[in-house]
Amino acid sequence: MTTDAYARARAALEAALPGLIELSHRIYQNPELGYEEVKAAAWLADELEAAGFQTQRGYGDMPTAVVGTLGSGDLHITICSEYDALPDVGHACGHNVICTAGLGAALALVPLVDELGLKLTLLGTPAEEGGGGKIGFIDGGFFSDVHASMMVHPYPVDVAEPDIIAVQQLTVTYTGVEAHASGFPWGGINAADAMVVAQTAIALLRQQMLPSDRVHGIVTKGGEAANIIPRETKGDFMVRAGTAERLDELLGKVRNCFEAGALATGCTLGIEADTAYTDLRHDSELAALYQKHAESLGREFVEPPAPVSTDMGNVSHEVPTIHPFIGVESNGAVPHQEAFADACATPSADQAVFDGALSMALTVIDMATDPALRARLLAK
């Protein structure tokens, strides 16, 4: 049965491929920021409805989320599709490829869902680049009856179990007192100085940080004019660590750096924390199956490169999860560069849509047909 199921999944995917490539390019040409993915979410929902999925547009307080479900079997598998873009550089993280590879995997499985005893859900998950749409599904209890989840992410190389670490985003505000920068500088409290002190303290902290720790950010507001002592400065920062536990520890140290800026200058400090993404725990058995299928398509896997973060990490703490990287030819460009966005609408990226979709679909077939694996997932 398994060989026949593989062939049928491939045939279904090949039939759907022209539409998937067109959708990938359409999303690429219409980049939308997190929680603003009105077009992409609607296009994904339209495709799911046309394929016979029971489709829900919006979930909880996320109007650009999508839920498409097919089948009523006891083994519930979710495939995640992301479609948010980045400011200025558009789809430089390749979420157009993620979205359509996920959809392709779901469409490949349509003829097989019932005989495999599956309940298959394609989740359109908004705001991965900031906001954490998958966490909205977790908080809503969606994953309580899910047995495994998966997605693929474009990258310059193929990696089965990439190093995905925890992250916390912080918005930092210093408030001081404005004054004439030449005539009455002693009357001001300089919020820009507070930000400089904090950044310097963070730079010095790096000597005591673990190799897997990361702190980086930008100043989004530095003042109003060169002849006014800045009354307010703002910055967006990200703190990353190998595990959620280490992230909590590092956050305490980084907060001390921000407090040092306030103490040194007399400014008041405000810190707003976004939802934290945790580290990703790969299910190695599922990752190995995915890698086997991808290698059969000619893909070559390498060891994990430098760490990144995603809200798929939070999903992995709820259910067995895989999040492999799928390689696209990028001529040296890396994610979040404009040139990588260009690479995500090329024949290589189109091939990644097919290869990622098929490898995920065949992995789902393995989950359903391997008695030991199925029993393990059902016992989740």
Side-chain angles (χ1 to χ4, degrees):
M1 172 185 175
T2 301
T3 302
D4 176 65
Y6 288 172
R8 290 164 61 196
R10 182 172 189 133
L13 177 60
E14 288 173 344
L17 187 60
L20 292 169
I21 299 307
E22 189 278 330
L23 178 58
S24 176
H25 288 221
R26 199 187 332 156
I27 293 172
Y28 169 83
Q29 293 162 358
N30 293 271
E32 300 167 295
L33 300 181
Y35 295 126
E36 300 175 9
E37 315 97 321
V38 176
K39 293 178 181 178
W43 293 333
L44 178 62
D46 289 345
E47 294 293 332
L48 290 168
E49 287 177 351
F53 284 76
Q54 182 178 348
T55 305
Q56 176 182 337
R57 299 172 186 246
Y59 182 89
D61 61 356
M62 301 184 296
T64 56
V66 178
V67 182
T69 302
L70 188 70
S72 57
D74 59 346
L75 182 64
H76 187 185
I77 306 299
T78 67
I79 301 169
C80 292
S81 283
E82 300 170 0
Y83 32 72
D84 60 316
L86 290 155
D88 298 326
V89 292
H91 279 292
C93 214
H95 289 195
N96 58 305
V97 174
I98 295 172
C99 179
T100 49
L103 174 61
L107 297 180
L109 291 165
V110 167
L112 300 162
V113 164
D114 290 335
E115 63 191 76
L116 293 175
L118 289 175
K119 178 180 178 181
L120 178 67
T121 299
L122 191 287
L123 288 183
T125 60
E128 186 276 335
E129 296 293 353
K134 296 180 191 65
I135 298 169
F137 281 104
I138 294 169
D139 291 344
F142 183 86
F143 285 94
S144 62
D145 72 337
V146 173
H147 299 105
S149 188
M150 65 176 64
M151 59 173 283
V152 295
H153 196 300
Y155 210 72
V157 292
D158 286 88
V159 183
E161 297 187 31
D163 187 8
I164 296 177
I165 61 177
V167 65
Q168 175 78 74
Q169 298 190 50
L170 305 172
T171 298
V172 177
T173 304
Y174 288 108
T175 305
V177 176
E178 71 275 14
H180 195 292
S182 178
F184 302 95
W186 51 84
I189 298 177
N190 195 318
D193 288 350
M195 189 68 77
V196 170
V197 170
Q199 290 177 301
T200 303
I202 290 169
L204 293 171
L205 174 64
R206 287 192 172 92
Q207 182 180 359
Q208 279 75 47
M209 284 166 47
L210 295 173
S212 56
D213 293 340
R214 301 283 191 276
V215 183
H216 46 92
I218 59 170
V219 177
T220 57
K221 180 179 180 181
E224 301 298 337
N227 61 353
I228 303 173
I229 297 294
R231 185 188 69 84
E232 182 180 78
T233 55
K234 290 180 176 289
D236 290 336
F237 291 83
M238 302 181 80
V239 183
R240 304 180 195 249
T243 65
E245 293 76 18
R246 171 59 186 171
L247 179 61
D248 287 341
E249 181 181 353
L250 183 58
L251 278 168
K253 298 176 184 291
V254 172
R255 284 178 180 271
N256 287 342
C257 294
F258 290 124
E259 289 170 2
L263 179 63
T265 60
C267 289
T268 58
L269 167 65
I271 299 179
E272 298 179 9
D274 201 351
T275 303
Y277 294 2
T278 193
D279 53 297
L280 196 147
R281 300 173 177 174
H282 301 275
D283 187 295
S284 293
E285 183 179 9
L286 300 183
L289 290 170
Y290 170 89
Q291 180 174 347
K292 177 189 71 174
H293 292 303
E295 286 175 338
S296 74
L297 300 175
R299 294 197 166 264
E300 297 180 2
F301 284 73
V302 301
E303 291 300 308
V308 296
S309 303
T310 170
D311 57 355
M312 195 68 170
N314 298 66
V315 174
S316 76
H317 288 249
E318 303 292 321
V319 298
T321 296
I322 60 171
H323 182 285
F325 288 163
I326 188 159
V328 299
E329 296 174 4
S330 61
N331 296 316
V334 297
H336 294 205
Q337 290 181 333
E338 187 173 356
F340 193 80
D342 295 340
C344 288
T346 62
S348 175
D350 298 344
Q351 189 65 48
V353 170
F354 178 84
D355 291 353
L358 185 58
S359 298
M360 285 193 289
L362 301 187
T363 301
V364 172
I365 293 171
D366 292 341
M367 295 181 193
T369 57
D370 183 306
L373 177 54
R374 185 182 185 110
R376 175 171 75 82
L377 296 175
L378 287 172
K380 186 271 298 186

